[in-house]
Amino acid sequence: MTMREPPDATESPRFTGPRTFARLPHTTDLDGVDAAVYGMPWDGSTSFRSGARFGPEAVRSMSGMLRTYNPVQRVQVFGALSTIDYGDAPTVPGYVEETLARIERFVSTLAEQRVVGVGVGGDHSVTLAELRALAKVHGRLGLVHLDSHTDLWDAYFGKPYSHGTMFRRAIEEGITDPARMIHAGMHGPLYAAADDDIPDELGVEMVPWIELATLAPEEFAERARRRTGTGPTFLTFDVDFVDVAFCPGTGTPEVGGPTSFQALGYLRALTGIDFVGYDVVEVAPQYDPAQITALFAANVAFEMLSLIALSRA
């Protein structure tokens, strides 16, 4: 079995070679693979600024900055975890339901082979396709959701599928268990006071940023562990969770959120949960000429890979 890892950056400069994630080998051969990073280039469900279809490309480009060892988590990632870039899921511009079906089939291959996927979006509606694919293999899922929005609305513009409705659809479809779902980091204006009641009505736990900001990362992680229990769980991270000063390249930016340092702290603390899949979404690179947002998202994906490595250490 061949270990899949990046080339040695001291021998081959990180700005060289094809733009795969962290310069990992691009292959669809899953033999001996522990984890796979893949893109979901789709933004047909955005409600404000489009452009997240270019997120996977931008994240791959900035991921050249990544190295192989996580000194905060004290874990070797690449070189210990056999990892590949699995390429991009197929999408159909203009057709959300067909796009979700195609992403579901794409992710199903990983799920069936028990390869842990780290998806890069793409607007947040793509997570519904990932949840559908994983639930077929693992059963009903828990969810840890870091975001500035709950994404639990019933409809946008009278339609059921958008990047703000997919977690309600997941509950309705029986692929996530509301009693094992925790949404954290919500901030910014709402449409009405009743929006604050939606999580309780659906039976999910919400920790708004104004409360989360008072919790140490480990305190939040303990709440997440209690909520998700011992069952299979998905971790999804929307970059608009982070204050727009640190992640301007996104479709629905919000002010007054955590710094990138704080956000990574909450993410790193999420050990001891049975995550069967991960994603980081809503990178829209054209709004961020310095590509700070894409660099941050690449590091989020690296932290997710670190959680996988820690779970197998």
Side-chain angles (χ1 to χ4, degrees):
M1 184 181 69
T2 303
M3 174 65 69
R4 313 296 179 88
E5 58 183 314
D8 185 346
T10 65
E11 299 290 336
S12 173
R14 284 177 287 156
F15 52 81
T16 62
R19 293 293 86 188
T20 63
F21 184 84
R23 300 202 302 156
L24 292 165
H26 169 40
T27 180
T28 57
D29 178 6
L30 299 178
D31 183 43
V33 172
D34 299 314
V37 180
Y38 57 89
M40 295 172 288
W42 165 257
D43 60 9
S45 301
T46 53
S47 56
F48 190 48
R49 302 194 301 190
S50 61
R53 67 182 63 182
F54 300 112
E57 177 186 25
V59 172
R60 284 187 173 103
S61 182
M62 295 307 294
S63 72
M65 284 295 296
L66 297 174
R67 299 176 181 87
T68 63
Y69 177 74
N70 187 326
V72 177
Q73 298 286 57
R74 297 185 181 276
V75 66
Q76 186 70 38
V77 182
F78 304 128
L81 199 65
S82 185
T83 315
I84 62 170
D85 187 320
Y86 194 58
D88 281 351
T91 60
V92 187
Y95 295 88
V96 58
E97 290 173 78
E98 179 60 24
T99 289
L100 293 177
R102 295 191 185 194
I103 295 175
E104 178 184 350
R105 289 194 292 271
F106 179 87
V107 176
S108 289
T109 303
L110 297 175
E112 290 162 2
Q113 296 296 317
R114 295 300 199 274
V115 174
V116 182
V118 178
V120 179
D123 78 45
H124 214 157
S125 65
V126 298
T127 304
L128 180 59
E130 297 172 285
L131 294 172
R132 286 170 173 170
L134 289 162
K136 286 180 180 177
V137 173
H138 298 282
R140 209 173 184 198
L141 302 167
L143 181 75
V144 178
H145 174 208
L146 297 173
D147 199 330
S148 65
H149 314 100
T150 62
D151 297 332
L152 290 168
W153 282 279
D154 185 45
Y156 259 77
F157 313 109
K159 299 296 181 181
Y161 296 105
S162 89
H163 69 162
T165 64
M166 64 284 174
F167 295 129
R168 183 184 287 253
R169 298 290 89 79
I171 293 170
E172 291 171 348
E173 292 178 20
I175 57 178
T176 59
D177 179 358
R180 298 182 53 239
M181 295 171 65
I182 183 167
H183 301 242
M186 289 70 235
H187 58 281
L190 299 173
Y191 297 110
D195 288 347
D196 254 343
D197 299 327
I198 293 173
D200 282 342
E201 291 168 359
L202 294 174
V204 307
E205 182 175 359
M206 181 182 72
V207 187
W209 170 239
I210 198 166
E211 178 183 352
L212 181 61
T214 68
L215 300 178
E218 184 51 41
E219 291 177 298
F220 165 66
E222 184 53 35
R223 282 181 66 166
R225 284 189 283 267
R226 286 199 304 269
R227 185 71 183 183
T228 57
T230 59
T233 302
F234 190 86
L235 173 56
T236 184
F237 189 111
D238 186 328
V239 295
D240 71 30
F241 169 67
V242 183
D243 191 281
V244 68
F246 299 88
C247 281
T250 192
T252 47
E254 302 286 0
V255 301
T259 66
S260 55
F261 173 74
Q262 289 172 308
L264 290 176
Y266 291 114
L267 179 59
R268 288 167 176 152
L270 292 170
T271 57
I273 297 174
D274 183 19
F275 289 122
V276 296
Y278 305 76
D279 69 20
V280 53
V281 298
E282 294 284 354
V283 177
Q286 63 271 45
Y287 306 113
D288 181 1
Q291 298 308 318
I292 299 166
T293 310
L295 176 60
F296 175 76
N299 278 270
V300 168
F302 181 73
E303 293 295 340
M304 290 172 170
L305 291 166
S306 300
L307 290 174
I308 300 171
L310 284 168
S311 72
R312 300 183 180 204

